[in-house]
Amino acid sequence: MRAILGQLLTLLPHGPVALARVVDTTGPGPREPGAAMIVTESGDVHGSLSGGCVEAAVVASAREVLDGGDAVTDRFGYADSDGPAVGLTCGGEIEVFVERVSGERLPLLAALRQRIQEGSPVAVATTLDVAPEWKLLTPGDGEAWHGVDRDARALLDAGRCGVVGADECAAHGSPRPRTFVQVFAAPARMILAGANDFVRALSRTGRSLGYRVTVVDARETFATPARFPAAHEVVVDWPHRYLAEEQRSGRIDQRTVVCVLTHDAKFDVPALLTALSCPRIGFVGALGSRRTHAERVERLRAAGVTDDQLGRLRSPVGLDLDARTPDETAISIAAQILAERGGASGLPLDRTDGPIHR
């Protein structure tokens, strides 16, 4: 919707439009969730959903919605390019939500554009029912909304669009509406210092959780894209120098995760010193034994790290899962990151009470 937001704001003062958005995809597809198309009462079309595969069918649904019909959800799967069926020839499947949008949405859309122009993370949550409701979500807003606000903000924190809800809310004992969360923010970052098997495993886990993963190591022989295929980028540089430049450039924020997995004091101490000096960083962890941790803390203190900064360091990083292999260790570290991001205890659920999804 980002691409057609300006047109939406221009058109709405002159009358309602039909807004069609891709809300879910399966398999290969031409567009990601959030791709949008506008259909006006005069039949003008702005934007696209699939490069031409399903647009005609969506326009037909849009006209029905504009004529006073309820919001509709259309799902399109594979269709032979030579056959009569409407669908995708790429083999994937998309779900398209079509709703009538009127001028009452203008204040929210104007606020959305303002947030985007400021570079601030923001999301729009839309209930996928016959009378859709919208909610503008920001990181600092803790207002409850239909029991889906926590899950929706988790997507905002991760920088990913997605569908939440459609189940029972334990806190309220009522159904949660199926809700599309369209996020207008870059994905949260995971920066991994080192170039070993533990980094490779955590890069896979981090990517599966929606993080944009960067692997950084000064050793050109080891820091190669071929060795870390799950990473979005592999940087050959000293980790502390790379982190300092990212901080100066404003690319480290409260959602950024930094894990130092080098097992080498000449790499990890400068990297941790730099990471702990970043005022807005979200999570800083370091791998190692308790003996390694104790020695590392002494070096960090000698380098001028304060007690408050050391209090932000998670070392040895990870939860107590008896993890031994790189893949098990990656799960242990990811579990701690998720627990801290959500303010959770990390305890087994059968040893806690109250709602599972707080």
Side-chain angles (χ1 to χ4, degrees), residues 21 37 42 71 105 123 143 180 192 214 250 258 291 309 341:
R21 283 183 285 171
M37 185 173 76
S42 61
R105 302 290 192 206
E143 181 184 358
F180 174 57
L192 305 178
T214 299
V258 172
R291 178 179 177 180
Q309 290 173 328
R341 188 178 76 185

Side-chain angles (χ1 to χ4, degrees), residues 241 243-251:
R241 190 163 59 189
L243 288 170
E245 179 58 33
E246 293 301 285
Q247 169 67 10
R248 281 193 295 269
S249 302
R251 291 189 288 267

Side-chain angles (χ1 to χ4, degrees), residues 190 192 196 198-199 201-203 205-206 209 211 257-261 263 283-288 314 316-321 323 325-341:
M190 177 179 284
L192 305 178
N196 52 42
F198 292 95
V199 173
L202 188 53
S203 68
T205 304
L209 293 175
Y211 285 95
V257 169
V258 172
C259 290
V260 177
L261 313 175
H263 294 295
F283 181 97
V284 180
L287 190 66
R314 301 297 176 257
V317 68
L319 298 186
D320 182 13
L321 305 181
T325 69
D327 285 311
E328 291 171 346
T329 302
I331 297 298
S332 168
I333 296 171
Q336 184 177 18
I337 293 170
L338 290 176
E340 297 215 3
R341 188 178 76 185

Side-chain angles (χ1 to χ4, degrees), residues 97 99 125-134 145-146 148 177-180:
F97 183 67
E99 60 180 309
T126 306
T127 57
L128 304 180
D129 52 28
V130 295
E133 295 182 46
W134 287 24
W145 192 69
H146 293 305
V148 300
R178 190 165 182 261
T179 302
F180 174 57

Side-chain angles (χ1 to χ4, degrees), residues 132-214:
E133 295 182 46
W134 287 24
K135 169 72 173 175
L136 194 70
L137 299 172
T138 59
D141 177 13
E143 181 184 358
W145 192 69
H146 293 305
V148 300
D149 47 284
R150 185 178 178 85
D151 291 344
R153 288 188 179 84
L155 289 177
L156 175 57
D157 289 341
R160 292 188 293 126
C161 299
V163 175
V164 299
D167 57 8
E168 183 175 301
C169 177
H172 303 285
S174 59
R176 305 192 308 165
R178 190 165 182 261
T179 302
F180 174 57
V181 183
Q182 184 163 2
V183 174
F184 299 85
R189 299 189 65 194
M190 177 179 284
I191 301 173
L192 305 178
N196 52 42
D197 290 343
F198 292 95
V199 173
R200 185 182 302 114
L202 188 53
S203 68
R204 290 194 297 265
T205 304
R207 182 163 187 154
S208 72
L209 293 175
Y211 285 95
R212 178 172 180 82
V213 179
T214 299

